[in-house]
DNA sequence: CAACTTAGTTTCATCATGCAACTACTGGAG
DNA sequence: CTCCAGTAGTTGCATGATGAAACTAAGTTG
């Protein structure tokens, strides 16, 4: 089959994330949702994407538990799409993408916005990886280990 | 045209990142490259993807300055694909994706690996967002600001 | 140089994407 | 109640992207 090779059953957590977030529009929809958008029409006009694709993506995000449909909010009888905790949990991913672009983009002058902390208005610090005890880690300081089979439970 | 709507000229840094990293395989190729893979055949057999797609993705990643082709390394006259600094800079993105999956996946028992710090063998701490002065920030503590037009330079 | 491996490219069927047009429902004016 | 405009989606169709397998070409081994 050609079906875009779902990574759903892959054991790698990165692949599993990509299965939910990895297509063209999903992360941008989530970005707008984090920014406060909720209605179909808002997403559609802000992102300028085709409505059928938006419809399919919203449904997929709802199926993945990233968005949920809420019945109303502004009185109208229409539907809204709001982020679940799982959806809000993608924030570090978006920040990482943003910071990567800010640091490495070939045309940084074309980037229109910066992420700042609301209180001081100063740029957010770069994400950093730390050990449990707080030591700063570089990629080389880390490794991937098989998961310790969390507590026997028909784990074969 | 249907050409998958390039985000290259979008002013949003997230969209710009996705333009380079946003397709199905790119981040997985980068993950394997961070893990040490370098050769076409290694990627192909490890990821199990079609060779034409791998070929196209590698070329795109090279064009984006994420990978570079190096002439050799193990003596053979073949080519290698090695990460550039820009490519290694994607590490936080991969960590963020991994941690999101670890925290929110519906079937966490299927995740086979964990990321640990090499020295202690303990899981890496969750990425956290901090202000310049070190305050821990939640999404709500941040906002997006227009970029301050970095220092006049034919900026219109 | 014959056999095998590595690194791709080509071919072809199928799926996904994107635009435009169409349908369904809501709410308000008359 | 009906007409009209706006919102929310679905359907149809052309085209491009994807994937499996076959094919090509160069490197390497014997």
């Amino acid at each position: 089959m050609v079906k875009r090779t779902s990574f759903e059953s892959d054991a790698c957590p990165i692949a599993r994330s990509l299965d939910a977030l990895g297509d063209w529009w999903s992360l941008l929809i989530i970005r707008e949702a984090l920014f406060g958008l909720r209605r179909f029409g808002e997403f559609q006009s802000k992102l300028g994407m085709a409505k059928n694709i938006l419809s399919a993506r919203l449904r997929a995000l709802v199926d993945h538990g990233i968005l949920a449909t809420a019945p109303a909010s502004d009185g109208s009888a229409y539907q809204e799409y709001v982020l679940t905790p799982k959806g809000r949990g993608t924030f570090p991913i978006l920040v990482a993408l943003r910071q990567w672009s800010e640091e490495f983009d070939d045309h940084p002058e074309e980037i229109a916005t910066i992420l700042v902390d609301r209180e001081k208005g100063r740029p957010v610090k770069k994400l950093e990886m730390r050990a449990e005890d707080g030591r700063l880690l570089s990629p080389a300081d880390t490794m991937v280990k098989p998961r310790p089979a969390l507590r026997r439970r028909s784990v074969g």
Side-chain angles (χ1 to χ4, degrees), chain A:
Chain A
M1 70 177 174
V2 188
K3 293 191 60 131
R4 201 115 178 242
T5 311
S6 166
F7 302 130
E8 200 174 6
S9 55
D10 198 299
C12 169
I14 296 171
R16 294 169 76 89
S17 293
L18 290 176
D19 194 70
L21 307 171
D23 55 58
W24 263 152
W25 293 104
S26 295
L27 280 167
L28 294 179
I29 292 171
I30 293 171
R31 163 175 67 103
E32 296 303 332
L34 279 165
F35 213 92
L37 299 200
R38 293 159 162 258
R39 296 283 283 268
F40 187 95
E42 291 178 327
F43 290 110
Q44 208 269 318
S45 61
K46 191 76 193 304
L47 291 170
M49 66 191 291
K51 300 204 289 181
N52 53 349
I53 306 294
L54 175 58
S55 178
R57 288 290 160 274
L58 289 173
R59 202 172 329 158
L61 290 169
V62 169
D63 287 348
H64 277 291
I66 293 166
L67 293 175
T69 52
S73 112
D74 67 334
S76 80
Y78 292 112
Q79 207 175 207
E80 288 189 343
Y81 297 90
V82 295
L83 288 168
T84 62
K86 181 174 180 176
R88 283 191 295 279
T90 61
F91 197 63
I93 299 171
L94 292 170
V95 173
L97 286 167
R98 172 181 274 278
Q99 291 186 344
W100 183 74
S101 189
E102 287 170 354
E103 185 168 357
F104 296 103
D105 196 288
D106 291 334
H107 298 283
E109 74 280 2
E110 293 174 3
I111 298 176
T113 60
I114 52 175
L115 184 70
V116 300
D117 92 84
R118 196 178 284 276
E119 185 176 324
K120 298 276 178 61
R122 303 288 303 164
V124 167
K125 204 158 75 169
K126 216 170 147 344
L127 291 176
E128 43 193 36
M129 237 185 342
R130 292 187 178 275
E132 269 182 348
D133 56 25
R135 275 173 301 122
L136 190 63
L137 299 174
S138 78
D141 296 326
T142 66
M143 57 183 288
V144 170
K145 240 177 43 175
R147 199 170 56 92
L150 66 173
R151 215 174 294 273
R152 103 171 35 238
R153 192 183 146 61
S154 71
V155 189

